[in-house]
Amino acid sequence: MKVEDFDFELPEQLIAQTPLLDRTASRLLLVDPDTTHVEHAQFPAIIDELESGDCLVLNDTRVLPARLMGVKEETGAHVEVLLLKQTKDDEWETLVKPAKRVKVGTIVTFGEGLLTATCTAELAHGGRKFVFRYEGIFYEILEQLGEMPLPPYIREKLDDQDRYQTVFAKERGSAAAPTAGLHFTDAILDKLRAKGVQVTFITLHVGLGTFRPVSVDSIEEHEMHAEFYSVSEETAQIINKTKQKGGKVVAVGTTSTRTLETIGSKYQGEIKAEEGWTSIFIYPGYQWTVVDGLLTNFHLPKSTLVMLVSALASKTTIMHAYQVAVHEQYRFFSFGDAMFIRPKRKEIK
């Protein structure tokens, strides 16, 4: 299967640069996976799409303000450091710009010495490993000095950093927001619970590989980046009971989807409490084990995310939905509108 098969024309003006003032004001494209039929709605219509006995699974990862602006101690040259993964207590894998300025032994200071970092290793693609030194609590200093690592296609400054966090963000460690969850408010979640929908959470820390383009021609040759996930015993029981009673499991975002399918594919559709690293790559032809429906934003052309949603509906259905979304001027990407792929109708035997 060719990467080019997942390309589509996207006018640049449809890329949402800022979030709407009201999280729930986004539009919602409803997609029937059994046909190519789509319907237009506003986001609160998601309440009507779920039924008592269904389960909604959200990703409670919290985005780190992981972009740090510093200077080289020796020369005063400006350096941008993006935290990617904590490897030890005070050791992090990072991306550095410009990387050529930073060699092993280079010391970078942030916030006039409030935080310092020594480069201990050079990695591929501009990556560097740093050991940080500071007084106090690292994450409190990071909140003070760091900026949100917005995706490269967002060029406007974010006035309210909390708008790049979900209202239920809890577990620190993500390099990007699980953006399908940005549409939810506590009020909408409460209405779903009152309707009898089980609302539960997994954790997957989004890596920057999410934004990297697919660089091969054939999908089968692409290797996914690994991301850390965690599922609690409570969540596992809720999802398993939902399946046992005939309810539908609806994932919010591709991150929740990848977590559930990583575990479900290991245990014949059962969810077990565990944590680990996943590099699962879902594309058309994938045999689904857990997820029935998916709420997601609109993604980049030729991205692994478009391939994933095409696996749940079909490439024909998704490409048609995207064509409609472009024609109707839906907002795309992180701060854009949403799409709900309804669960497939169960066959009557």
Side-chain angles (χ1 to χ4, degrees):
M1 196 175 296
K2 297 296 183 184
V3 174
E4 291 293 331
D5 294 339
F6 297 87
D7 196 11
F8 58 91
E9 195 69 34
L10 179 64
E12 189 172 346
Q13 65 266 25
L14 296 187
I15 300 174
Q17 292 296 314
T18 54
L20 299 174
L21 290 176
D22 178 1
R23 288 178 183 265
T24 67
S26 298
R27 298 162 75 188
L28 181 64
L29 188 67
L30 303 169
V31 179
D32 184 344
D34 295 301
T35 67
T36 58
H37 178 69
V38 299
E39 298 173 31
H40 304 285
Q42 295 300 121
F43 185 75
I46 192 65
I47 297 169
D48 300 321
E49 292 293 317
L50 276 68
E51 300 172 339
S52 178
D54 290 344
C55 176
L56 187 72
V57 185
L58 305 108
N59 184 1
D60 66 1
T61 187
R62 185 170 185 83
V63 187
L64 291 174
R67 179 171 277 123
L68 291 163
M69 303 299 181
V71 294
K72 287 179 63 175
E73 190 174 70
E74 291 181 358
T75 64
H78 290 275
V79 176
E80 178 181 322
V81 176
L82 184 63
L83 305 179
L84 293 183
K85 185 170 72 174
Q86 188 174 16
T87 50
K88 295 178 185 176
D89 286 347
D90 291 315
E91 182 182 80
W92 286 77
E93 288 182 6
T94 71
L95 278 179
V96 174
K97 289 196 306 188
K100 62 183 179 181
R101 287 182 177 169
V102 178
K103 308 295 183 185
V104 172
T106 297
I107 298 174
V108 181
T109 65
F110 311 91
E112 299 180 345
L114 194 60
L115 182 68
T116 64
T118 303
C119 180
T120 57
E122 296 185 28
L123 309 173
H125 308 297
R128 296 292 186 272
K129 193 172 283 188
F130 279 104
V131 172
F132 287 86
R133 295 287 180 266
Y134 52 90
E135 288 187 9
I137 300 172
F138 179 77
Y139 287 108
E140 289 183 358
I141 296 171
L142 194 60
E143 291 287 345
Q144 182 179 341
L145 300 180
E147 299 176 7
M148 283 296 177
L150 294 178
Y153 46 75
I154 294 178
R155 300 183 181 90
E156 294 193 21
K157 187 175 177 61
L158 184 62
D159 293 330
D160 180 3
Q161 302 241 23
D162 282 343
R163 285 300 274 110
Y164 196 58
Q165 301 279 19
T166 61
V167 298
F168 44 82
K170 180 182 175 185
E171 302 294 337
R172 289 183 299 207
S174 202
T179 54
L182 294 177
H183 305 282
F184 286 91
T185 60
D186 289 329
I188 282 188
L189 293 174
D190 286 344
K191 287 179 180 178
L192 286 165
R193 291 185 182 103
K195 191 176 180 179
V197 175
Q198 291 271 15
V199 177
T200 193
F201 301 91
I202 58 87
T203 302
L204 182 135
H205 294 320
V206 187
L208 276 208
T210 295
F211 305 122
R212 290 193 178 129
V214 179
S215 58
V216 295
D217 295 327
S218 176
I219 288 175
E220 292 80 4
E221 297 173 7
H222 178 68
E223 292 185 11
M224 292 287 287
H225 57 287
E227 295 170 317
F228 177 81
Y229 70 87
S230 177
V231 175
S232 69
E233 182 63 43
E234 179 185 8
T235 291
Q237 288 185 15
I238 288 172
I239 294 170
N240 290 333
K241 286 179 181 177
T242 298
K243 300 292 275 189
Q244 290 163 10
K245 294 180 179 179
K248 298 180 292 292
V249 175
V250 172
V252 176
T254 57
T255 58
S256 297
T257 301
R258 294 178 68 240
T259 301
L260 296 177
E261 290 298 319
T262 293
I263 299 173
S265 62
K266 289 197 289 186
Y267 305 115
Q268 291 75 51
E270 183 181 357
I271 295 296
K272 295 190 178 182
E274 66 175 34
E275 61 181 39
W277 293 83
T278 179
S279 56
I280 190 172
F281 182 18
I282 297 174
Y283 54 88
Y286 176 78
Q287 297 300 307
W288 293 87
T289 64
V290 179
V291 174
D292 298 303
L294 169 62
L295 179 80
T296 182
N297 281 18
F298 293 95
H299 306 294
L300 282 165
K302 298 192 288 187
S303 66
T304 59
L305 307 179
V306 168
M307 297 168 196
L308 183 152
V309 296
S310 296
L312 188 58
S314 72
K315 186 170 77 69
T316 300
T317 298
I318 293 302
M319 290 297 106
H320 171 69
Y322 271 63
Q323 186 179 31
V324 171
V326 169
H327 183 266
E328 297 296 326
Q329 297 193 317
Y330 275 66
R331 290 157 52 91
F332 273 66
F333 305 160
S334 297
F335 292 138
D337 296 313
M339 176 173 72
F340 180 53
I341 302 176
R342 289 167 164 157
K344 290 185 178 180
R345 289 186 288 274
K346 293 202 172 23
E347 296 180 8
I348 300 174
K349 298 182 179 179

